[in-house]
Amino acid sequence: MSTTTARRAADYDGHRITVSADDGTPIAVRIFGDDDAQLTVVFAHGHCLRTESWSFLRDQLQRHWGTDDVRMVFYDHRGHGESGVAHPSTYTIDQLGHDLDAVLRSVAPTGPIVLIGHSMGAMVTLAYSRLFPATIGTRVVGLCLIAGAANGITEVGLGRFLNRRAVSSLQLAVLRAPRIMQASKRLSRRIFEPITREANMGTKRTNPRMVAVAAAMMNDTPLLTMSSFLASLMAFDESASLHRLGGIPALVLAGSADIVVPFAHSVVLASQLAGSELVRLDGAGHSVHLERAEEVALSIVALVDRVIAAMEGHGPGYATAS
């Protein structure tokens, strides 16, 4: 393959690498853009999704940024997509925060970073800020939380139907009879797919291709992965660490019709992040970055513009520490 052909392939599908997490779990990473770009933007996807969940948004952002100014990094959480599986005991938000650190050390060891997380991915970025506080404002210079929450996901929305006994029973059943449970998941897929579509896609008519992409990702996620993360999601609470993020530009964005993580969570997040902008997309559901990719992209571009302006205001040495 010629250098030109390889470059075109990388521009279209990304440069693929594998990063080893601290416990050896392989993490699949895709990189778009030049290594010497001014800024690296890292995307963390949601529960039962994978890198492809960002594809519509990525296309929009590439139209704005090209490949020279901003480098974009996407990766699959452990147990998701092309990343490796691990012991279920490691399927926690804190472990994903450490995995994010491993990705950053490998693909962006120096230079400024903006973190973007959707749903569980937003929770991962919040956990990361607690686990690695020295990076906030030095390496991490911007944050975007899409359909995220700091705590209380079992208090409103679909999370109300989660309880510890039911989750524990499901996890035990998956461990004891994984083949039967996976077959049951496939059997029930037709029943729950309309519910999943409504939960993730909001009230407006959505492109059927987007619905198909979202459904395929969730259906392909191993049941062990889906069930093992539930306990950590239920117990998640980073409200006490939000103050660490008040000094950097932030975007808090969600859909008004999100019944998985209702918009009220975003209101709370934005109220506790001094440098944040709150964006509400009327009629959008939990997968707002899929169904309203163009509008989400414009908000992210505005965030990055704010970040770059702040960097220039701090001088050439800002955010260059390793």
Side-chain angles (χ1 to χ4, degrees):
M1 181 183 295
S2 67
T3 302
T4 301
T5 302
R7 175 61 184 270
R8 288 175 179 171
D11 288 346
Y12 175 77
D13 200 36
H15 174 57
R16 295 173 180 260
I17 67 170
T18 300
V19 171
S20 181
D22 293 341
D23 64 356
T25 303
I27 305 297
V29 180
R30 292 168 66 182
I31 303 169
F32 295 78
D34 294 337
D35 290 343
D36 57 355
Q38 181 180 10
L39 186 70
T40 298
V41 182
V42 181
F43 296 77
H45 65 75
H47 184 224
C48 294
L49 299 177
R50 57 178 183 261
T51 290
E52 282 77 7
S53 67
W54 299 108
S55 58
F56 294 98
L57 179 61
R58 185 187 69 232
D59 289 346
Q60 293 290 335
L61 291 173
Q62 282 183 307
R63 293 189 181 101
H64 287 279
W65 290 332
T67 60
D68 299 327
D69 297 331
V70 178
R71 183 173 64 147
M72 294 188 287
V73 175
F74 304 84
Y75 70 100
D76 291 331
H77 296 306
R78 60 176 56 211
H80 293 76
E82 296 180 356
S83 287
V85 298
H87 192 277
S89 64
T90 71
Y91 287 0
T92 67
I93 305 299
D94 270 17
Q95 179 60 60
L96 296 187
H98 286 285
D99 291 350
L100 171 56
D101 179 61
V103 171
L104 296 182
R105 294 198 316 263
S106 178
V107 305
T110 61
I113 297 165
V114 172
L115 297 179
I116 298 181
H118 168 249
S119 190
M120 184 176 77
M123 299 177 184
V124 172
T125 65
L126 294 179
Y128 174 86
S129 72
R130 169 177 52 81
L131 294 167
F132 303 96
T135 67
I136 307 304
T138 55
R139 296 296 318 290
V140 177
V141 295
L143 177 69
C144 173
L145 305 173
I146 301 174
N151 63 352
I153 69 164
T154 61
E155 296 175 5
V156 292
L158 289 183
R160 290 176 300 159
F161 298 103
L162 291 174
N163 64 76
R164 293 189 180 282
R165 178 176 296 180
V167 169
S168 296
S169 297
L170 173 62
Q171 291 171 339
L172 185 61
V174 171
L175 289 171
R176 288 183 173 177
R179 292 184 180 179
I180 294 174
M181 292 299 293
Q182 193 67 32
S184 176
K185 179 187 176 185
R186 289 193 297 269
L187 185 63
S188 62
R189 183 166 54 194
R190 292 183 181 179
I191 298 174
F192 290 106
E193 189 168 328
I195 300 174
T196 300
R197 180 171 62 250
E198 291 298 322
N200 284 283
M201 294 302 178
T203 59
K204 295 184 178 181
R205 181 173 177 82
T206 304
N207 185 324
R209 183 184 168 210
M210 296 181 183
V211 176
V213 168
M217 284 185 284
M218 286 182 282
N219 289 333
D220 289 345
T221 302
L223 194 54
L224 183 63
T225 295
M226 183 275 288
S227 62
S228 297
F229 275 105
L230 291 178
S232 186
L233 289 168
M234 291 169 58
F236 181 78
D237 187 348
E238 290 291 347
S239 55
S241 60
L242 290 177
H243 68 279
R244 303 180 190 277
L245 297 161
I248 64 174
L251 169 66
V252 180
L253 183 148
S256 66
D258 188 342
I259 62 174
V260 179
V261 181
F263 186 75
H265 282 292
S266 290
V267 174
V268 173
L269 278 172
S271 70
Q272 297 182 65
L273 297 175
S276 69
E277 175 190 8
L278 177 63
V279 174
R280 165 180 163 144
L281 294 185
D282 289 332
H286 192 58
S287 293
V288 59
H289 61 311
L290 270 168
E291 58 175 308
R292 306 283 280 275
E294 184 173 359
E295 293 164 87
V296 175
L298 289 174
S299 291
I300 291 175
V301 169
L303 168 66
V304 168
D305 287 344
R306 282 201 289 146
V307 168
I308 292 174
M311 288 166 52
E312 292 173 346
H314 281 79
Y318 187 56
T320 58
S322 60

